[in-house]
Amino acid sequence: EVALQCGKALLLSMPRGRQSGYSVVQLSRPHSDQKIRQSEEYLQQHFDRDVSIDNLAKQAGMGPRNFIRRFKAATGRVPGAYLQTLRVSAAKELLEHGGSSIQAVSSKIGYEDIGFFRNLFKRHTGMTPGEYRDKFSQMSFERGELISGRQ
C-alpha cells in the first residue's frame, strides 16, 4: 500500500516487474587500463557507426582476441554489448528530449532495422521505445552527454 501511494505521488506506475527502464546505466566499472579507456572514448564518440573489433584492436595496438579479453576484464562487458548499451542509452536520451520518430531515433543511434532496435530496446529496458517516451518525455534526468551536439 505504501509503495502504491509513493508511486502515485511520484508519478511512477506501480507495481513494476522490472526497474531497468528507469535506471541510468553505468557503462563500465572503474578500471585503470588506459588503452581500453581510449577505446571506450572512441566508442562513445562513434557509437552511431559500425565499429569493428579489428579496428578497435588495431587502434589499441593489440590483436582482436587479446583486445576482447582486456576490454571485458576492464569494463565487465564485451565490446559488442558495450556498444549496444551505449546505443540504448543514447536512444533513451533522444526519446526523453526529442520529438523524433522511433525510426529516426533508431537511425541516429546506428540501427537501420527498426524491428531489431525495438526488440533490443525492450530487452534492455523492459518496455518499447514508445512506452519509454510516454513515461519519460516529460521527466528530466541529468543526462544528455551522448547526444549533445548530434541533433
Side-chain angles (χ1 to χ4, degrees):
E1 180 64 26
V2 172
L4 288 172
Q5 289 175 0
C6 288
K8 288 177 185 174
L10 297 172
L11 301 176
L12 298 175
S13 58
M14 296 292 283
R16 290 192 312 261
R18 296 178 57 180
Q19 299 265 343
S20 59
Y22 298 82
S23 66
V24 177
V25 177
Q26 180 181 353
L27 291 172
S28 71
R29 56 187 175 218
H31 64 84
S32 59
D33 192 327
Q34 242 354 79
K35 289 186 177 189
I36 298 304
R37 190 167 315 285
Q38 290 171 350
S39 295
E40 286 181 274
E41 289 170 8
Y42 181 85
L43 285 171
Q44 289 172 11
Q45 294 168 3
H46 300 94
F47 66 85
D48 56 340
R49 303 180 193 153
D50 286 333
V51 180
S52 73
I53 296 295
D54 290 337
N55 185 31
L56 288 170
K58 186 177 178 181
Q59 287 179 0
M62 301 177 213
R65 287 179 54 165
N66 186 42
F67 175 78
I68 292 169
R69 182 187 56 76
R70 278 184 57 181
F71 194 96
K72 184 173 183 184
T75 67
R77 302 171 196 259
V78 294
Y82 185 95
L83 181 60
Q84 284 185 344
T85 302
L86 273 174
R87 288 177 170 180
V88 169
S89 293
K92 285 179 174 183
E93 292 173 15
L94 288 166
L95 292 166
E96 289 165 12
H97 298 106
S100 300
S101 69
I102 304 301
Q103 177 67 52
V105 169
S106 179
S107 294
K108 282 182 183 179
I109 65 166
Y111 293 120
E112 294 305 320
D113 182 346
I114 192 168
F116 177 81
F117 166 65
R118 285 179 201 263
N119 289 334
L120 176 71
F121 192 90
K122 186 162 186 170
R123 188 169 58 237
H124 278 259
T125 66
M127 60 187 85
T128 66
E131 291 168 339
Y132 186 88
R133 173 181 277 151
D134 291 344
K135 286 191 184 283
F136 296 110
S137 65
Q138 301 303 314
M139 294 182 179
S140 176
F141 291 101
E142 294 299 319
R143 296 202 304 201
E145 62 274 0
L146 289 174
I147 61 166
S148 61
R150 290 183 183 255
Q151 295 180 359

